[in-house]
């Protein structure tokens, strides 16, 4: 077997999480630096599929956490963007560039804040990833958490962490709005209090659970919550924190039970459909996860939050046509959202529909004409269209 065959096999085995095969191939001198046609190393392939043991082997073999694929994504940023915080933590010990950015100009902190990955946000902040970095869309992590969050339990925790780490609450986006202005406009009352440093958690059990969660003491946090649940089973917040701690322990089925208890109390508490969807995602049950987003969207047809995060997940699954359809629904609701047009254009490009991608990015340019990112993407799509023709 030639070296290239060994190298290709290493990427495949890493993606599948076949640790023993990875170990053997490394012993047979397969190259950890070899890239496939998409510029992916074995480490990137293992990271994308959250194959922790394979990642450990590749890191020990000298794989570079900062090497880029053809989309300019690094394994380190990939781990952060997908909420794979165990991998992210490992990579911090192997020369991760904390200030490195993806093709949208975002550090690992920005997509994790956007998508609601609380532990990932905490790890990024503790490691020193710059809290006020602004990406090419003109957003900081705080702005993303407010604009693309829903002001619920999870995003409020993320925003608290960002503010405590020194996030600038007065930083304005490209439309001249600060995070507080967005939170007021979006009626995120708790977030407004957090941003004004006027919020204090009054439930002592939840205070203790949040502290224990930050310290990775999940069983202790669950024990605190169970003591209160024994006498008070009507507090949805307790089910959230218990479920989230169970997720960190990878007890996903048990976490779902807790989330569903909260939904039994109040089926219109839409927050919990987001938590069940994320939990099912971690269980590798995509159709069930997508169904949870749909349930929330049916209950709140005028809200963009659940459709937007469903589209994120569809892109993660490589289902770009479905993601485009979700973006079209979002744009029918908010036609001037240039970020929606931008994401639609990226999915269309992935489908090879370059003229349609150009049309979508033109909408983004019309709504934010001075953003060089959109003009760059239009130029790239035009080149791809010429090559296709």
């Amino acid at each position: 077997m030639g070296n290239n065959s060994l190298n290709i096999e290493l990427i495949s085995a890493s993606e599948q999480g076949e640790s023993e095969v990875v170990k053997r191939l490394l012993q047979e001198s397969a190259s950890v630096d070899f890239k496939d046609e998409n510029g992916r190393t074995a480490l990137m392939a293992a990271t994308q599929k959250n194959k922790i043991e394979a990642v450990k082997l590749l890191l020990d073999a000298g794989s570079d956490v900062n090497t880029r694929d053809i989309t300019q994504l690094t394994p380190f940023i990939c781990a952060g963007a997908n909420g794979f915080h165990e991998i992210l933590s490992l990579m911090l010990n192997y020369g991760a560039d904390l200030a490195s950015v993806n093709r949208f100009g975002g550090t690992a902190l920005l997509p994790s804040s956007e998508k609601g990955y609380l532990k990932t946000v905490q790890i990024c902040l503790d490691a020193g990833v710059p809290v006020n970095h602004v990406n090419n869309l003109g957003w900081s992590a705080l702005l993303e958490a407010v604009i693309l969050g829903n002001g619920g339990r999870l995003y409020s925790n993320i925003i608290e962490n960002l503010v405590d780490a020194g996030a600038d609450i007065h930083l304005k986006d490209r439309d001249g709005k600060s995070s507080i202005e967005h939170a007021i406009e979006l009626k995120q009352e708790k977030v407004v209090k957090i941003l004004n440093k006027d919020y204090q958690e009054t439930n002592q059990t939840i205070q203790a659970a949040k502290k224990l969660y930050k310290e990775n003491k999940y069983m202790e946090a669950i024990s605190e919550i169970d003591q209160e649940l024994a006498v008070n089973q009507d507090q949805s917040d307790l089910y959230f924190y218990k479920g989230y701690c169970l997720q960190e322990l990878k007890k996903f089925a048990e976490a779902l039970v807790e989330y569903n208890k909260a939904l039994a109390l109040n089926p219109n508490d839409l927050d919990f459909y987001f938590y069940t969807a994320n939990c099912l995602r971690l269980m590798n049950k995509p159709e069930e996860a997508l169904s949870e987003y749909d349930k929330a969207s049916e209950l709140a047809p005028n809200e963009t939050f659940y459709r937007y995060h469903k589209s994120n997940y569809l892109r993660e699954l490589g289902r770009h046509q479905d993601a485009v359809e979700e973006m079209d629904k979002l744009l029918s609701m908010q036609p001037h959202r240039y970020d929606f047009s931008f994401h639609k254009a990226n999915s269309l490009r992935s489908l090879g529909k370059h003229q349609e991608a150009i049309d979508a990015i033109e909408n983004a340019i019309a709504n934010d004409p001075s953003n060089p990112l959109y003009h760059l993407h239009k130029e790239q799509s035009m080149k791809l269209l010429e090559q296709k023709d």
Side-chain angles (χ1 to χ4, degrees), residues 136-202:
N136 294 336
L137 289 166
W139 289 343
S140 65
L142 180 58
L143 282 162
E144 293 218 347
V146 174
I147 296 167
L148 300 171
N150 67 345
R153 301 166 182 87
L154 180 57
Y155 280 94
S156 292
N157 271 274
I158 286 171
I159 288 163
E160 271 192 283
N161 282 352
L162 292 168
V163 171
D164 288 346
D168 184 351
I169 63 173
H170 302 295
L171 189 69
K172 295 182 183 294
D173 64 11
R174 295 180 64 83
D175 293 325
K177 286 184 183 177
S178 68
S179 53
I180 291 181
E181 291 172 303
H182 278 289
I184 292 169
E185 186 177 298
L186 294 165
K187 298 179 181 178
Q188 297 179 1
E189 294 177 9
K190 183 177 177 181
V191 169
V192 172
K193 289 182 178 179
I194 292 169
L195 294 174
N196 283 318
K197 300 188 177 179
D198 188 31
Y199 175 77
Q200 179 64 47
E201 178 60 64
T202 56

Side-chain angles (χ1 to χ4, degrees), residues 15-31:
E15 188 168 30
Q16 298 302 316
E18 298 170 343
S19 298
E20 291 304 314
V21 178
V22 170
K23 202 179 296 182
R24 171 179 61 79
L25 291 166
L26 290 170
Q27 289 170 348
E28 292 176 9
S29 299
S31 172

